Amino acid sequence: MKKLLYIFVTTCVLLCACSRTDNTTVLRQADAMIYGNADSAMQLLSQIKNPERLPFEEKMLYGWLRTFAHNVRGASMAEDSLILPAFDYFVSGRDTVKMLNSYVLKSKYLYWLKKHTESMAVLDSGIVEATACRDTYLMVSMLAEQAYRYVYVEKDYKKAIEAHLRAIAIREDEGLCYSLGIAMGLQGNDSASYYMDRSIELVTQKKDTARLVHYLRNYAQLLSYKGQDYEKAIRVSKRLQSFPSEKVNDAMITLVLTECYLKIGELDSAQYYLDKGKEEVVRFKKFLTTENMIAYYQGLIDYTRYGTFDFLDVMRYNDSIHNALYALQSTIRRKDESKESLSNANLMLTVERQEAQLTLLFCILVLVLAGGGAFFYIRGRRNRLIEAEERIETLNRLLVEATKGDGGHEEIPATEVKDGQFFRKILLQQLGIIRLVATQPTSQNQELLRRISGITNHELPVESLLVWEDLYPVIDRIYDGFYTRMNQRFGSVLIDKEQQLCCLLCAEFSTKEISVVTQQSIPTIYQRKTNIRKKLGMGEKEDIVEFILGK
């Protein structure tokens, strides 16, 4: 049985160790590839089951890697709350890269929670740390992120421009130039065109067609929106049309051209490009915003030409979209309600299971307490039985000593008594024990046990059986006036029970014998002896009787 238990424990330990080793290996592999391939790192992290059971250091790394992967992939970070303790852990660590990236991740997490003020404060701290560490790459990244927030969240274009200029002073980048141009354009700054042209120049050098198309389209919209240069907006839009159609949103380009021609008063050209935009929408089913803009521009053209406009069709279309969205939201809401209901039901089951476990534990505890109580009760009864048997044995010995040489007679002359036998006999006679033995000799032990049990249970108090006023003269007669001498010297110091104890000690009663005849426990007898010694000013080892006699 012991071998089976040993094998079981060893197997459990090995399984736990293997599981921990596997998780550690997965985390190391994910950490090695997180900067270059976040998707693969995320797949590795998904292999870890029950991450909440990981050791603290590994749990912090898991939370950090998961949040980093979500940030790179542009996924929601609203549920990555583990980044908060991970931030504290890595900021106090020695890994500078993880420490600086932790500021970015915590800021992004707070941004997803719409805590924009706290998010910007974390970015400010991160920029200070990156500057101290001279990490220009992460410093530029944090400045760019801060500038993005100023533009699209706080609409503070002045601070956005300052953040962009700080980043460009460290490293000129087409993305920074582009976003700076957008911020300046929204502010109405004349330098917007310079930075937009510079971003297009840099991205053209890199031959990044997709990004070039994006920059050109937004550049054209910016020029048209701010009314800075409609002719240039038309040139930029027509340049976009030279790219393959699969890389360009033709509907948006045609709408920019429509707006520009409307603003310069060329209605025929505006109608031409608007009709092309309608064809693109029908062919490729573009966004709702595109269809609304087409209807809006058509209304402007009609009003300019004929003085009337009709938005009934687009309003009906918008109503249908609204109803569809409402139905979708209702479906999502019902799903959320069902999910919440299932979660509550699961929670109730968990609570019930825990209550059942607690009830079971309580029952086990009650059984253990009941078993323990029964055990101690039985042991106490057994100890009391053993104690009663010892008392019987002690009393039998006292009886033998008291009746030695008696021949069965009740009275013995005092002159024939030696070593206190006479005193012992009188004391036992007062307790009724000799009479009990004489009248029922065949059931001596049984009756003696019953009598001793009665005394122990306070049914027959010793004080009512022993007449010490009759015993004191016997003590004086046998032991050279011991009681009188004691009473004269220490009568005002010792109480009656202490004087009675001294008399029994003088009669050479042992501690166990005193316990039997006085109905007191042995610890009580020892305590009384200690009290007597203290009252008389004796040492712990001095004999009480000799001290009282003055020997």
Side-chain angles (χ1 to χ4, degrees):
M1 186 65 183
K2 290 184 179 179
K3 290 184 178 180
L4 291 175
L5 181 60
Y6 175 77
I7 294 172
F8 174 75
V9 173
T10 305
T11 304
C12 291
V13 171
L14 290 176
L15 288 175
C16 292
C18 291
S19 176
R20 180 174 179 179
T21 302
D22 292 342
N23 290 335
T24 303
T25 302
V26 169
L27 286 171
R28 288 177 180 174
Q29 292 175 350
D31 190 19
M33 65 174 60
I34 191 68
Y35 299 104
N37 194 339
D39 291 334
S40 299
M42 197 64 189
Q43 290 180 357
L44 284 172
L45 292 175
S46 64
Q47 297 177 11
I48 298 178
K49 305 301 181 183
N50 301 318
E52 65 278 0
R53 298 181 182 177
L54 291 171
F56 177 75
E57 293 79 4
E58 294 183 1
K59 187 188 296 183
M60 295 300 98
L61 179 59
Y62 172 84
W64 192 93
L65 293 174
R66 191 169 181 270
T67 308
F68 190 95
H70 286 163
N71 181 41
V72 173
R73 300 168 72 189
S76 172
M77 299 168 63
E79 297 183 0
D80 291 327
S81 58
L82 198 57
I83 189 58
L84 296 179
F87 172 83
D88 296 332
Y89 176 76
F90 285 107
V91 164
S92 60
R94 299 181 180 179
D95 192 330
T96 305
V97 176
K98 279 191 172 58
M99 182 267 289
L100 295 177
N101 274 294
S102 295
Y103 284 97
V104 177
L105 297 179
K106 182 178 180 179
S107 175
K108 283 290 189 71
Y109 170 72
L110 295 172
Y111 171 78
W112 277 95
L113 296 182
K114 301 187 183 302
K115 297 180 179 180
H116 301 302
T117 303
E118 297 178 29
S119 177
M120 293 296 282
V122 173
L123 272 180
D124 288 335
S125 302
I127 292 170
V128 172
E129 290 293 337
T131 304
C133 295
R134 298 181 181 180
D135 191 324
T136 56
Y137 176 81
L138 285 174
M139 183 162 49
V140 169
S141 297
M142 284 189 267
L143 285 169
E145 180 65 26
Q146 196 175 52
Y148 174 87
R149 307 273 184 83
Y150 283 132
V151 173
Y152 296 103
V153 178
E154 299 187 11
K155 304 296 189 294
D156 190 338
Y157 305 122
K158 181 180 179 180
K159 289 185 178 180
I161 292 171
E162 292 175 356
H164 277 115
L165 291 175
R166 285 183 62 189
I168 291 175
I170 299 171
R171 185 182 73 249
E172 187 181 42
D173 178 82
E174 68 274 7
L176 290 171
C177 291
Y178 165 75
S179 56
L180 176 57
I182 293 293
M184 287 182 167
L186 293 173
Q187 190 195 37
N189 193 309
D190 294 335
S191 299
S193 294
Y194 168 79
Y195 284 103
M196 292 299 293
D197 290 334
R198 180 59 179 161
S199 68
I200 292 171
E201 178 184 348
L202 292 173
V203 79
T204 302
Q205 293 174 2
K206 291 187 176 182
K207 298 180 180 181
D208 189 343
T209 305
R211 183 171 292 187
L212 176 60
V213 168
H214 176 70
Y215 287 180
L216 288 171
R217 182 172 61 247
N218 285 279
Y219 188 21
Q221 288 180 307
L222 180 65
L223 291 170
S224 173
Y225 173 70
K226 282 296 183 180
Q228 296 175 346
D229 192 342
Y230 298 125
E231 295 295 337
K232 188 173 182 178
I234 292 172
R235 289 197 303 272
V236 172
S237 298
K238 289 186 176 181
R239 181 182 174 184
L240 276 169
Q241 290 181 325
S242 64
F243 290 95
S245 58
E246 66 271 7
K247 295 184 178 181
V248 181
N249 187 339
D250 292 334
M252 291 302 300
I253 295 173
T254 56
L255 290 179
V256 172
L257 290 168
T258 300
E259 181 178 351
C260 290
Y261 281 116
L262 268 172
K263 289 182 177 179
I264 62 178
E266 297 184 13
L267 298 182
D268 291 338
S269 296
Q271 187 67 57
Y272 169 77
Y273 284 108
L274 185 61
D275 291 339
K276 289 189 65 175
K278 291 178 181 178
E279 293 174 3
E280 292 295 326
V281 169
V282 172
R283 187 189 314 170
F284 297 106
K285 298 185 182 299
K286 299 297 181 181
F287 299 110
L288 172 63
T289 304
T290 306
E291 296 194 32
N292 283 337
M293 289 180 66
I294 289 174
Y296 169 72
Y297 288 142
Q298 187 63 62
L300 289 177
I301 293 172
D302 291 343
Y303 183 76
T304 304
R305 282 180 171 175
Y306 311 114
T308 61
F309 60 89
D310 184 9
F311 284 125
L312 182 60
D313 290 340
V314 70
M315 291 174 64
R316 288 176 177 173
Y317 178 75
N318 288 341
D319 286 341
S320 66
I321 296 297
H322 171 75
N323 293 333
L325 289 175
Y326 180 79
L328 178 61
Q329 290 174 355
S330 298
T331 302
I332 294 174
R333 186 163 54 251
R334 286 195 298 271
K335 288 182 178 179
D336 291 339
E337 290 174 354
S338 300
K339 182 179 179 181
E340 184 178 1
S341 177
L342 290 174
S343 298
N344 291 334
N346 185 43
L347 179 61
M348 291 300 296
L349 289 174
T350 303
V351 171
E352 291 176 359
R353 183 172 65 251
Q354 291 177 348
E355 289 178 350
Q357 292 174 348
L358 289 174
T359 303
L360 179 61
L361 289 175
F362 177 75
C363 292
I364 293 174
L365 179 62
V366 170
L367 290 174
V368 170
L369 292 176
F375 169 76
F376 286 112
Y377 175 75
I378 293 172
R379 191 175 71 170
R381 288 291 300 271
R382 181 173 177 273
N383 290 338
R384 286 194 296 272
L385 180 60
I386 293 173
E387 183 180 353
E389 291 176 350
E390 290 178 351
R391 288 172 176 252
I392 292 171
E393 182 180 352
T394 301
L395 286 170
N396 283 329
R397 188 173 64 254
L398 288 172
L399 285 171
V400 171
E401 293 176 359
T403 58
K404 188 180 296 182
D406 179 32
H409 299 288
E410 290 188 12
E411 298 295 339
I412 298 178
T415 56
E416 297 180 5
V417 177
K418 296 180 181 179
D419 300 327
Q421 291 180 4
F422 180 66
F423 175 74
R424 292 172 183 263
K425 181 176 180 180
I426 292 177
L427 188 145
L428 293 176
Q429 283 179 333
Q430 288 191 0
L431 287 175
I433 296 175
I434 293 178
R435 187 178 299 106
L436 177 64
V437 174
T439 56
Q440 298 180 6
T442 58
S443 55
Q444 177 182 358
N445 291 337
Q446 181 180 356
E447 292 298 328
L448 196 56
L449 177 60
R450 183 185 65 79
R451 190 64 177 269
I452 293 301
S453 176
I455 294 175
T456 303
N457 293 328
H458 301 282
E459 296 172 3
L460 297 171
V462 170
E463 289 80 358
S464 65
L465 298 176
L466 293 177
V467 183
W468 280 96
E469 296 300 327
D470 294 338
L471 294 175
Y472 290 144
V474 178
I475 289 291
D476 277 342
R477 187 188 315 164
I478 298 175
Y479 299 105
D480 298 328
F482 175 81
Y483 170 74
T484 300
R485 295 165 67 181
M486 175 182 65
N487 194 37
Q488 288 175 350
R489 294 184 63 188
F490 307 109
S492 60
V493 177
L494 301 176
I495 63 176
D496 291 341
K497 289 187 179 294
E498 291 171 345
Q499 292 183 22
Q500 294 164 9
L501 175 59
C502 292
C503 290
L504 293 174
L505 291 174
C506 179
E508 299 182 355
F509 276 71
S510 66
T511 301
K512 183 179 291 187
E513 292 171 346
I514 295 173
S515 172
V516 171
V517 300
T518 61
Q519 190 188 327
Q520 295 175 357
S521 65
I522 291 177
T524 302
I525 303 301
Y526 281 116
Q527 184 61 43
R528 286 194 183 280
K529 288 182 180 180
T530 302
N531 293 339
I532 291 171
R533 287 189 174 94
K534 288 182 179 179
K535 287 182 178 182
L536 302 184
M538 300 172 54
E540 293 183 0
K541 302 297 183 180
E542 287 188 73
D543 185 85
I544 294 175
V545 176
E546 291 182 356
F547 183 86
I548 291 174
L549 293 175
K551 295 182 180 181

